[in-house]
Amino acid sequence: MNKLYCYSTLLATLLLFELGLGYADSTERANKSLYSVAPRSVSSPDRAINIAKNPEPAQNIACTGCFSWDLDGSGKAEALTDGLLFMRYLFGFTQQALVNGALSSNATRTTSEEITAFLVEHRAQLDIDGNDTTDALSDGLLLIRYLFGFEGSSLINGALPGDTSRSVPEIISAFIMEQLPATQYDEPPQTELEWDLTPAMAEQVGTEQSAVDAIIDHIFTDIAVQSVLVTKDGFLIGQRYATGYHENSLGTSWSMAKSFYSAAIGAAIMAGEISSVDQKASEIITEWQGTIKADITLRQMLQMRSGYSASDEVFLFDDQTAYSIDRPLERPADTQFAYSNANSQLFEPIIRRTTGLSAHDYLSQKILTPIGIDVSGVGLWFDASGLNPMTYCCIDMKPLDFARFGLLYAREGKWRDAQIVPSDYVNSSLTANGWYGYQWWILNSVYFFGASVPMVIVAAQGLDGQYIFIWPEEDIVIVVLTQYSHPIEQGYVVDLSSTPLNYPDTCTARNSCTYSIGDPHNTFTHLRLVELMVPLADSP
């Protein structure tokens, strides 16, 4: 067999699985779950075996030296982890090529050396077809097909050489099944509420991995995506990274920062440093006293109803706070929604003048640090003056840290036993005035121009495709970041006159820079995402 035939056979096997061969019909395939597999009945002319759902032959008794097809030590033998590891091993893959993308999130054997040593130690048990050799396109193919759920002739077609002692599908199935881990069909233990976003199986939090995978697949139809995280009940149940990125790669917020500094306003209200959202901003921004801006309230600013224009150039100015304070009104306050960056830059002087701390320091002390974010690894941007924290934009963090902030809002501003942001402030933040709360987008039917939605989720959103989606009722958070390019050594002061420029660069990946050629890369469909989130809900 040449290499082209080998790889063609493997590809054909995966395609046949997608077509559902080995199942009675496509509905059975779609509904089949690792945790609802029916007992397999095995029979042949000279052998009749009835295998129970939870077999416990001698070699499956838990011990460190026992063999099972659970090659990565996760407690389950699965096609796209253990089956793939076995196939790669038999093809001769080593080092990172053996394990990349093929380990369960809860694997206990995580290096190529550990997995190779395990297979070498148990080489005598790898011969599935019984011909005294192990081969990728026979033994490897049989295992991966079995773990995908193939049965009968679809299990063995094209996968048996001529000199096998096990050639009947039922006998091969029995051989593999006898060496599955004793925990193969155990229901994952249900978890208690968590805060640390530790990895868990989707089934442990009342959903299915297929639902998580469908969401991540949909988001990655956007070719500019850097990372996606899916959390439920405080556990990380899904993650994926574009090539060249990983869990420690920083992403940037762009306008998601608005939601963060809104939280800082809430914390200042809880601390008594700001009286309420109905306080007149001119009591703090004294430059407005005696002007037509004198009666604008913090609530109106939080809801983007201050009367500011949706068109501004705040990002291009050196002193962005002075620019924002001096902006003229386009209309009376509270008469119309207008999304304004200058409006949200006003949180900078409001926080500084009421708390005595810079907006960045206050955010770090009151929001980020209390929810477990190491601020030494966070990039907080300043305008070109180097003096003014930007409060409408630009926080650089790891994806998991963005998820922590989402979890804070999913749980009404509470973190463990501490109330970080007042619960009534959080609830108001996530309540729509049209389609917008306190610097949060509300994805209701109004947001979708009248389209029906199965439920309402909320989102922090930023330029070029940055998102924190939250479904508070189900304790679900989804983080999406666009591929980001910014050398840390350049620092976090905007400089649009230097070479190279210093700013949060996501436009290169999005193909949306002023110098980009062609159209920007489209992001994924939000309404479809909402629909795909429905199966993540707890079972009724």
Side-chain angles (χ1 to χ4, degrees):
M1 291 185 286
N2 60 35
K3 287 186 177 179
L4 177 61
Y5 172 78
C6 292
Y7 286 106
S8 297
T9 304
L10 177 57
L11 177 60
T13 296
L14 296 176
L15 291 175
L16 287 172
F17 172 68
E18 286 302 316
L19 294 173
L21 292 182
Y23 295 100
D25 56 40
S26 60
T27 302
E28 180 184 353
R29 176 175 66 90
N31 293 333
K32 202 171 185 73
S33 166
L34 179 63
Y35 306 106
S36 59
V37 177
R40 298 172 185 253
S41 178
V42 182
S43 61
S44 70
D46 58 355
R47 183 179 181 188
I49 308 172
N50 290 312
I51 300 178
K53 182 174 180 181
N54 290 292
E56 294 186 356
Q59 64 266 39
N60 272 353
I61 297 172
C63 70
T64 55
C66 292
F67 175 75
S68 81
W69 293 112
D70 175 23
L71 305 186
D72 64 2
S74 68
K76 310 285 182 186
E78 299 178 293
L80 292 183
T81 53
D82 307 287
L84 188 55
L85 288 168
F86 188 48
M87 181 74 80
R88 287 178 176 179
Y89 169 78
L90 294 178
F91 269 130
F93 286 40
T94 60
Q95 300 180 342
Q96 284 301 112
L98 176 63
V99 298
N100 275 350
L103 296 174
S104 299
S105 60
N106 58 337
T108 58
R109 295 185 197 96
T110 58
T111 68
S112 60
E113 292 79 8
E114 289 174 318
I115 289 166
T116 298
F118 180 77
L119 289 167
V120 169
E121 179 184 359
H122 299 286
R123 65 172 67 88
Q125 293 163 284
L126 308 181
D127 179 18
I128 294 174
D129 58 13
N131 69 341
D132 297 325
T133 62
T134 52
D135 183 80
L137 278 235
S138 53
D139 305 289
L141 200 50
L142 289 168
L143 178 65
I144 204 167
R145 284 181 176 178
Y146 174 88
L147 294 176
F148 268 132
F150 283 40
E151 298 176 334
S153 60
S154 63
L155 174 64
I156 63 171
N157 280 350
L160 293 178
D163 55 346
T164 63
S165 62
R166 282 185 285 271
S167 58
V168 177
E170 292 79 8
I171 293 176
I172 289 172
S173 294
F175 178 83
I176 296 172
M177 192 171 190
E178 287 171 356
Q179 298 184 102
L180 294 176
T183 54
Q184 180 76 7
Y185 299 111
D186 289 355
E187 292 281 355
Q190 294 299 303
T191 58
E192 299 297 327
L193 204 63
E194 244 285 348
W195 296 91
D196 294 324
L197 299 175
T198 53
M201 291 181 286
E203 288 78 6
Q204 290 179 268
V205 292
T207 187
E208 293 190 358
Q209 192 61 47
S210 59
V212 178
D213 292 343
I215 287 170
I216 295 177
D217 288 344
H218 174 65
I219 293 171
F220 264 89
T221 60
D222 177 352
I223 63 173
V225 166
Q226 169 178 311
S227 54
V228 178
L229 301 186
V230 181
T231 80
K232 184 175 181 184
D233 295 343
F235 289 91
L236 179 61
I237 58 172
Q239 59 184 318
R240 188 181 299 172
Y241 304 93
T243 301
Y245 296 91
H246 49 77
E247 65 272 15
N248 292 320
S249 299
L250 298 186
T252 197
S253 68
W254 282 106
S255 284
M256 290 197 301
K258 293 178 172 70
S259 305
F260 283 75
Y261 288 100
S262 170
I265 295 289
I269 291 173
M270 187 170 69
E273 294 158 326
I274 294 174
S275 61
S276 76
V277 294
D278 294 315
Q279 181 176 357
K280 292 180 180 180
S282 62
E283 296 176 10
I284 306 164
I285 305 174
T286 55
E287 295 92 330
W288 287 2
Q289 292 178 1
T291 73
I292 60 172
K293 299 179 183 178
D295 292 331
I296 296 173
T297 66
L298 296 182
R299 184 193 304 272
Q300 291 162 353
M301 295 169 68
L302 288 163
Q303 293 182 332
M304 293 289 189
R305 301 175 70 85
S306 65
Y308 269 30
S309 168
S311 300
D312 64 53
E313 297 179 336
V314 63
F315 189 77
L316 303 179
F317 277 74
D318 289 351
D319 188 336
Q320 296 185 10
T321 292
Y323 171 88
S324 299
I325 290 174
D326 293 341
R327 290 287 291 163
L329 291 187
E330 182 160 293
R331 62 186 64 83
D334 211 24
T335 58
Q336 183 177 320
F337 172 88
Y339 187 82
S340 166
N341 288 324
N343 171 96
S344 299
Q345 179 59 23
L346 294 170
F347 299 148
E348 186 280 312
I350 288 171
I351 292 171
R352 171 168 46 84
R353 295 178 184 184
T354 56
T355 70
L357 295 174
S358 76
H360 286 350
D361 287 345
Y362 197 77
L363 180 74
S364 298
Q365 291 181 25
K366 296 294 186 177
I367 305 296
L368 303 185
T369 298
I371 64 174
I373 295 174
D374 179 4
V375 295
S376 68
V378 174
L380 299 170
W381 283 83
F382 291 80
D383 67 14
S385 74
L387 301 175
N388 299 313
M390 295 164 66
T391 53
Y392 66 94
C393 168
C394 307
I395 299 171
D396 290 8
M397 294 197 302
K398 299 174 184 177
L400 201 64
D401 289 336
F402 284 108
R404 287 177 178 274
F405 181 71
L407 186 61
L408 174 70
Y409 264 68
R411 295 180 176 177
E412 297 187 318
K414 189 173 184 180
W415 194 264
R416 301 189 191 277
D417 296 326
Q419 194 72 44
I420 308 300
V421 183
S423 60
D424 59 345
Y425 183 90
V426 171
N427 291 332
S428 295
S429 298
L430 307 185
T431 299
N433 185 345
W435 57 87
Y436 202 73
Y438 294 174
Q439 308 285 285
W440 286 85
W441 295 89
I442 316 302
L443 278 58
N444 54 20
S445 62
V446 181
Y447 176 91
F448 289 113
F449 303 101
S452 176
V453 292
M455 73 287 189
V456 175
I457 64 172
V458 300
Q461 299 193 22
L463 180 70
D464 285 335
Q466 328 303 322
Y467 305 102
I468 304 171
F469 297 102
I470 304 172
W471 187 1
E473 293 81 3
E474 294 292 335
D475 204 19
I476 290 168
V477 178
I478 298 174
V479 172
V480 182
L481 298 173
T482 297
Q483 295 170 28
Y484 183 42
S485 175
H486 175 256
I488 293 175
E489 57 271 17
Q490 282 189 246
Y492 293 97
V493 175
V494 171
D495 189 344
L496 302 181
S497 61
S498 64
T499 303
L501 303 178
N502 193 37
Y503 71 103
D505 180 11
T506 53
C507 67
T508 298
R510 183 60 59 193
N511 199 45
S512 60
C513 304
T514 55
Y515 53 79
S516 297
I517 299 174
D519 295 329
H521 300 312
N522 292 328
T523 189
F524 54 93
T525 304
H526 289 186
L527 182 56
R528 180 57 181 154
L529 173 65
V530 174
E531 293 167 347
L532 289 170
M533 289 176 67
V534 173
L536 293 183
D538 291 331
S539 301

